[in-house]
């Protein structure tokens, strides 16, 4: 929401999807993108070992908890890859699921302990993101939506301008026809007046002649 996306519009929370009669998956967040694309975000990352590592004063114990953190992440990465979120029915998802780590320090600790963990995750279709990288990703999606809406508005504007032009052309045509009809009516009026009052043998002169004869 901070990035400008709206729940129920550009993203959904815990939207469950059944892939067969015995299996139901519930991604934490499904982000909609322009063009009927989707991005799945998983945030169920355990950071218990990270908390134990940073609170530990013993070097060997800290190292043990750090290794446990990396092991926990690898296990979670494998679990996400095995869920095959990208192939869920009704979703047109990229080949990657975003695994959200809410603490930047945990990410740094894991990558210092095993630099290949995130590269291996990427090969499995899992991209690990932190608050800063996730926000940047979502902000980019928000910009894509803004551009999409501006494009849609431009299409509507062009369509509305075309309809206005057609309506104005039709109005001018009708107005010209009204002028032509008025001109015809004026000519008919003049002809009638001429027959009654001013033309040779008009009705008024004939009535005057009848009056004189009487």
């Amino acid at each position: 929401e901070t990035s400008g996306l709206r729940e129920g519009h550009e993203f959904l929370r815990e939207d469950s999807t059944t892939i067969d009669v015995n299996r139901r998956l519930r991604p934490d967040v499904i982000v909609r993108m322009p063009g009927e694309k989707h991005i799945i975000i998983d945030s169920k990352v355990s950071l218990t070992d990270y908390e134990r590592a940073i609170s530990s004063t013993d070097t060997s114990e800290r190292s043990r908890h750090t290794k446990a953190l990396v092991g926990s992440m690898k296990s979670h990465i494998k679990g996400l890859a095995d869920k095959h979120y990208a192939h869920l029915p009704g979703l047109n998802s990229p080949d990657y699921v975003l695994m959200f780590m809410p603490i930047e320090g945990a990410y740094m600790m894991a990558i210092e302990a095993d630099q290949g963990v995130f590269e291996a995750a990427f090969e499995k279709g899992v991209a690990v993101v932190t608050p800063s990288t996730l926000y940047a990703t979502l902000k980019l999606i928000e910009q894509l939506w803004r551009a999409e809406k501006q494009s849609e508005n431009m299409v509507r504007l062009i369509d509305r301008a075309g309809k206005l032009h057609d309506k104005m052309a039709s109005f001018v045509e009708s107005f010209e026809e009204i002028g032509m009809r008025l001109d015809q009516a004026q000519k008919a009026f003049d002809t009638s007046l001429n027959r009654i009052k001013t033309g040779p043998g008009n009705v008024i002169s004939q009535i005057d002649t009848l009056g004189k004869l009487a």
Side-chain angles (χ1 to χ4, degrees):
E1 292 176 340
T2 302
S3 69
L5 302 180
R6 302 166 299 165
E7 184 172 1
H9 295 270
E10 289 81 31
F11 74 92
L12 302 172
R13 289 184 180 176
E14 297 187 347
D15 185 60
S16 61
T17 304
T18 301
I19 59 176
D20 60 47
V21 293
N22 298 316
R23 189 180 179 193
R24 179 178 290 272
L25 295 177
R26 189 184 296 270
D28 291 329
V29 176
I30 299 175
V31 181
R32 294 181 61 245
M33 295 178 62
E36 298 299 323
K37 301 287 186 180
H38 302 88
I39 288 181
I40 293 173
I41 303 174
D42 178 89
S43 62
K44 300 183 182 74
V45 179
S46 174
L47 297 178
T48 302
D49 291 304
Y50 167 73
E51 295 169 355
R52 290 172 179 171
I54 61 174
S55 61
S56 177
T57 57
D58 182 75
T59 302
S60 61
E61 184 178 353
R62 180 185 176 89
S63 177
R64 180 167 58 84
H65 289 308
T66 300
K67 289 181 180 179
L69 169 65
V70 174
S72 175
M73 289 181 59
K74 287 182 177 179
S75 177
H76 192 69
I77 289 168
K78 183 179 183 304
L80 284 179
D82 291 342
K83 287 181 179 179
H84 301 292
Y85 278 133
H87 304 293
L88 289 178
L91 292 183
N92 188 8
S93 174
D95 294 332
Y96 298 96
V97 174
L98 302 185
M99 189 180 93
F100 177 60
M101 293 187 67
I103 301 177
E104 303 271 357
Y107 176 90
M108 296 304 300
M109 179 181 288
I111 201 170
E112 287 175 3
D114 186 347
Q115 294 184 358
V117 63
F118 298 117
E119 183 177 347
F122 205 71
E123 291 175 354
K124 290 183 173 65
V126 178
V128 182
V129 294
T130 61
S132 59
T133 54
L134 176 62
Y135 181 81
T137 302
L138 296 178
K139 196 63 183 175
L140 175 60
I141 294 173
E142 189 272 336
Q143 293 292 330
L144 292 175
W145 272 116
R146 185 176 300 181
E148 175 79 4
K149 291 172 183 175
Q150 288 177 345
S151 177
E152 290 177 354
N153 288 339
M154 183 59 68
V155 170
R156 292 194 194 99
L157 180 62
I158 293 172
D159 179 66
R160 182 64 62 183
K163 290 180 179 178
L164 179 60
H165 172 271
D166 293 342
K167 185 65 69 174
M168 192 63 189
S170 177
F171 172 77
V172 170
E173 183 180 344
S174 298
F175 203 71
E176 289 176 343
E177 185 176 352
I178 290 173
M180 183 179 65
R181 298 297 184 190
L182 288 174
D183 187 56
Q184 291 176 349
Q186 183 64 49
K187 289 179 179 179
F189 173 80
D190 291 341
T191 299
S192 298
L193 182 61
N194 184 57
R195 290 173 179 174
I196 293 175
K197 186 177 180 180
T198 60
N202 64 77
V203 174
I204 298 298
S205 63
Q206 291 189 43
I207 291 176
D208 286 342
T209 301
L210 287 173
K212 291 176 182 178
L213 293 174

